[in-house]
């Protein structure tokens, strides 16, 4: 085994993965690599998936994604979704907040521009501030829309600033969404602190948990059970 193939989970601390039991419509989505990688099937469709740790209502949380094959539709999305939302849909209701590979942010089927597009092997950062009600997105360490996830109540440049106003009863979970066709299967890899892809730099959160490509914003934490017990 390579070092990247070894999990850092312990009996007292577990990191989130992608949930193979909660996927949009079950259209040929294949989970692998400890449920930290997903690949689309061979037929056209729209589908999504969610983190195993859900119900987030407080705290500040950080995750990274590496889309190794974005595909040709430019409609891959990363963000958050209501933990109450049925798996039959994904990243398209009023509680969703996401950033797409074409550079748009989206919610409830409404997209507006929010920074650069992203492509194969870019590292996408998602910072969710559930103390102040904002969500931020980065590409290869650059926060989009000149945003600052450490800006607290000012929510400088955030993609959305109202995620507490529309807080679902069950809280939020991290989520992703694909629109794909059979001309090119799409692949993503997720990192909630226990990466499946190689990290060239190595950055932990302030509690010393997680291993990320880019620096975790001050005050934000990886999605693991130790941090959840303290900040969730």
């Amino acid at each position: 085994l390579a070092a990247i193939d070894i999990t850092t989970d312990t009996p007292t601390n577990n990191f989130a993965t992608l949930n193979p039991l909660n996927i949009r419509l079950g259209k040929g989505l294949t989970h692998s690599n400890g449920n930290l990688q997903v690949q689309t099937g061979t037929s056209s469709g729209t589908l999504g998936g969610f983190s195993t740790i859900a119900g987030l209502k407080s705290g500040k949380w950080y995750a990274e994604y590496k889309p190794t094959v974005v595909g040709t539709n430019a409609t891959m999305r990363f963000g958050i979704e209501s933990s109450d939302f049925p798996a039959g849909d994904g990243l398209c209701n009023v509680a969703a907040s996401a950033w797409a590979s074409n550079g748009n942010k989206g919610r409830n089927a409404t997209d507006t521009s929010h920074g650069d597009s992203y492509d194969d092997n870019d590292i996408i950062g998602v910072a969710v501030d559930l103390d102040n009600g904002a969500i931020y997105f980065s590409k290869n360490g650059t926060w989009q829309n000149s945003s600052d996830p450490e800006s607290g109540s000012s929510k400088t440049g955030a993609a959305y600033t109202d995620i507490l106003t529309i807080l679902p009863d069950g809280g939020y979970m991290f989520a992703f969404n694909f629109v794909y066709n059979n001309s090119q299967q799409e692949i993503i890899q997720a990192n909630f602190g226990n990466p499946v892809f190689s990290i060239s730099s190595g950055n932990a959160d302030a509690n010393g948990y997680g291993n990320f490509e880019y620096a975790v914003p001050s005050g934000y934490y990886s999605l693991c059970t130790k941090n959840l017990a303290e900040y969730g």
Side-chain angles (χ1 to χ4, degrees), residues 25 27 34 56 64 70 81 87 97 100 135-136 142 150 164 167 180 184 187 192 208 229:
L25 302 180
K27 288 183 178 179
L56 300 172
E64 292 179 343
V70 171
E81 178 60 276
S97 302
I135 184 169
Y136 306 82
T142 299
E150 300 177 7
L164 287 182
L167 179 70
Y180 72 102
Q184 186 175 31
I187 302 171
F192 299 105

Side-chain angles (χ1 to χ4, degrees), residues 77-216:
R77 299 172 184 267
F78 301 108
I80 55 172
E81 178 60 276
S82 166
S83 297
D84 303 320
F85 207 60
D89 293 288
L91 289 182
C92 62
N93 81 326
V94 69
S97 302
W99 184 44
S101 51
N102 60 7
N104 290 340
K105 63 179 181 179
R107 174 191 288 170
N108 204 25
T110 300
D111 285 4
T112 56
S113 178
H114 186 71
D116 299 328
S117 61
Y118 54 87
D119 210 334
D120 298 358
N121 299 315
D122 286 327
I123 303 294
I124 307 307
V126 181
V128 182
D129 182 350
L130 287 173
D131 294 332
N132 296 290
I135 184 169
Y136 306 82
F137 301 103
S138 68
K139 172 186 173 181
N140 298 330
T142 299
W143 294 98
Q144 300 300 291
N145 195 38
S146 300
S147 61
D148 180 6
E150 300 177 7
S151 58
S153 59
S154 66
K155 310 176 194 180
T156 303
Y160 293 98
T161 60
D162 61 348
I163 62 175
L164 287 182
T165 303
I166 57 172
L167 179 70
D169 289 342
Y172 288 106
M173 54 188 169
F174 280 80
F176 68 90
N177 194 72
F178 291 112
V179 177
Y180 72 102
N181 58 51
N182 56 15
S183 64
Q184 186 175 31
Q185 292 176 299
E186 299 175 11
I187 302 171
I188 67 166
Q189 296 175 328
N191 179 14
F192 299 105
N194 188 15
V196 68
F197 52 86
S198 296
I199 301 295
S200 62
S201 53
N203 295 277
D205 64 27
N207 278 346
Y209 301 132
N211 182 21
F212 297 98
E213 182 64 41
Y214 295 98
V216 180

